[in-house]
Amino acid sequence: VTSADASPLPAERRRAGLAEQERQAVRAHSDQADEFASRYQRLAGDPYRSCFAYSRHRLDDWLENLLPPRGEGLRLLDLGCGTGHHLARYAARGFDVVGLDGSMEMLRHALRILPGAALRRAGVDALPFRDETFDVVLSIEVLRYLPDPQPSLEEAARVLRPGGLLVATAAPRLSLNGYWLVNRLATRLPVPGLVRLKQFFTTSLELRRRLRGAGFGSVEVHGAYFGPVNWVERIAPRLLPGLLRGWQRLDRAIADRPFIREFGNMFVVRAVRDSRPSVGRAA
Ligand SMILES: C[S@@+](CC[C@H](N)C(=O)[O-])C[C@H]1O[C@@H](n2cnc3c(N)ncnc32)[C@H](O)[C@@H]1O
């Protein structure tokens, strides 16, 4: 075998590149696990104190709408559960929860806030569960870190029972916070203070197409919150709480309007697993 014969094909190189990117995303989160945990600990206070607090506050409104209020008899998988914030909440509401994450450091925090929790360390695109194991799959702020989210969406469909529910977030490509552009620049230039991971950004149309291709029907894509507020936090953090307090009313009114939601800061998806037996692969 010559060295030319042994060199990987373009598709293999692409797959290896994607896998390396996923490993980098998990490593980056491992490095920030303590910071994530303390951000969540501080959430109990003012929801307008930071963009993180505000985003979780707005997201919570959506989760209240999209998930069943009580979970007795329902198995919920938190895909990319991180420090276990949502896992603990839905366990307290009676769901039978399982958390999965690629980062051991994140899972250690999850175990601290939910002792005895069922946790698995694995990649989100090769789930160590049988077909049709769960009633609900929740995946918050994870798709954005996957260079190719399709295998993970297909896996979510596979482990859901027919009629089961996926609730997930994704990052809008056209967001007015300009994060798509910032991220692309940060991955190419050494900009201090910016995360260098190439993130996945999308449109509601693309997200719908991907979800249908993965085996979901009844797909809803909502806009969770709106506005280039992240820049205010960077430039004038003291102005942020007052601004967010006033902004919220308008935000609630417009963030989920068709077309406008493309320019918001976060999509929230609700999708129901199709009842057809084999999950489609075509996107
Ligand atoms: C931004 S955190 C969100 C955590 C949690 N869902 C939350 O809302 O707090 C993203 C999580 O996804 C995990 N993650 C990213 N890419 C992954 C992959 N390919 N496989 C498994 N976990 C992954 C990270 O380790 C991290 O815990």
Side-chain angles (χ1 to χ4, degrees):
V1 178
T2 65
S3 59
D5 291 335
S7 68
L9 301 169
E12 283 169 20
R13 273 208 301 275
R14 182 172 178 272
R15 266 198 300 279
L18 295 180
E20 176 50 28
Q21 238 178 282
E22 291 201 11
R23 277 194 292 275
Q24 277 178 23
V26 170
R27 266 201 302 274
H29 281 95
S30 293
D31 293 345
Q32 294 169 15
D34 293 347
E35 192 187 320
F36 260 95
S38 64
R39 272 200 213 166
Y40 271 115
Q41 275 160 12
R42 291 196 301 266
L43 270 193
D46 181 3
Y48 309 106
R49 64 191 302 182
S50 69
C51 285
F52 178 75
Y54 184 71
S55 73
R56 290 310 191 251
H57 171 63
R58 300 295 306 120
L59 173 65
D60 282 351
D61 276 0
W62 281 102
L63 296 181
E64 291 304 313
N65 275 330
L66 300 179
L67 287 169
R70 296 291 312 169
E72 280 77 8
L74 297 178
R75 294 205 79 198
L76 179 148
L77 171 66
D78 188 347
L79 206 51
C81 63
T83 57
H85 174 78
H86 297 102
L87 209 58
R89 175 194 292 166
Y90 291 103
R93 294 185 184 186
F95 289 84
D96 182 4
V97 299
V98 177
L100 179 140
D101 203 284
S103 159
M104 205 59 203
E105 285 75 4
M106 287 286 193
L107 291 176
R108 274 196 201 103
H109 281 287
L111 204 56
R112 220 167 282 153
I113 67 167
L114 192 60
L119 301 174
R120 299 296 292 266
R121 183 185 180 198
V124 293
D125 47 13
L127 301 180
F129 307 109
R130 289 179 199 276
D131 296 1
E132 304 182 11
T133 303
F134 296 97
D135 302 284
V136 179
V137 171
L138 182 67
S139 193
I140 303 298
E141 288 291 82
V142 180
L143 290 179
R144 67 181 302 155
Y145 295 106
L146 306 179
D148 176 7
Q150 204 60 25
S152 171
L153 295 175
E154 289 169 4
E155 278 292 86
R158 181 184 66 76
V159 301
L160 273 171
R161 65 164 171 77
L165 190 65
L166 170 73
V167 173
T169 63
R173 187 176 298 145
L174 303 177
S175 173
L176 287 189
N177 66 23
Y179 203 60
W180 173 84
L181 185 62
V182 172
N183 181 254
R184 288 303 179 265
L185 288 176
T187 52
R188 286 173 175 79
L189 309 167
V191 185
L194 290 182
V195 182
R196 300 201 66 189
L197 283 173
K198 188 173 174 196
Q199 297 186 20
F200 165 70
F201 296 88
T202 186
T203 62
S204 62
L205 207 67
E206 182 190 348
L207 208 47
R208 271 200 192 90
R209 182 178 56 78
R210 284 181 175 277
L211 284 154
R212 294 211 175 100
F216 291 96
S218 306
V219 176
E220 296 171 16
V221 178
H222 298 284
Y225 75 105
F226 188 88
V229 287
N230 308 54
W231 291 106
V232 178
E233 186 171 39
R234 275 178 188 268
I235 295 162
R238 292 233 203 100
L239 297 183
L240 188 75
L243 182 120
L244 286 178
R245 224 171 254 120
W247 175 248
Q248 178 167 245
R249 188 186 288 203
L250 180 64
D251 189 7
R252 275 213 173 103
I254 64 173
D256 192 35
R257 294 263 173 97
F259 185 67
I260 291 180
R261 71 169 74 96
E262 304 301 323
F263 303 95
N265 293 19
M266 183 192 274
F267 289 132
V268 189
V269 170
R270 178 192 186 275
V272 178
R273 154 81 145 88
D274 278 343
S275 51
R276 64 191 144 97
S278 67
V279 169
R281 300 271 139 179

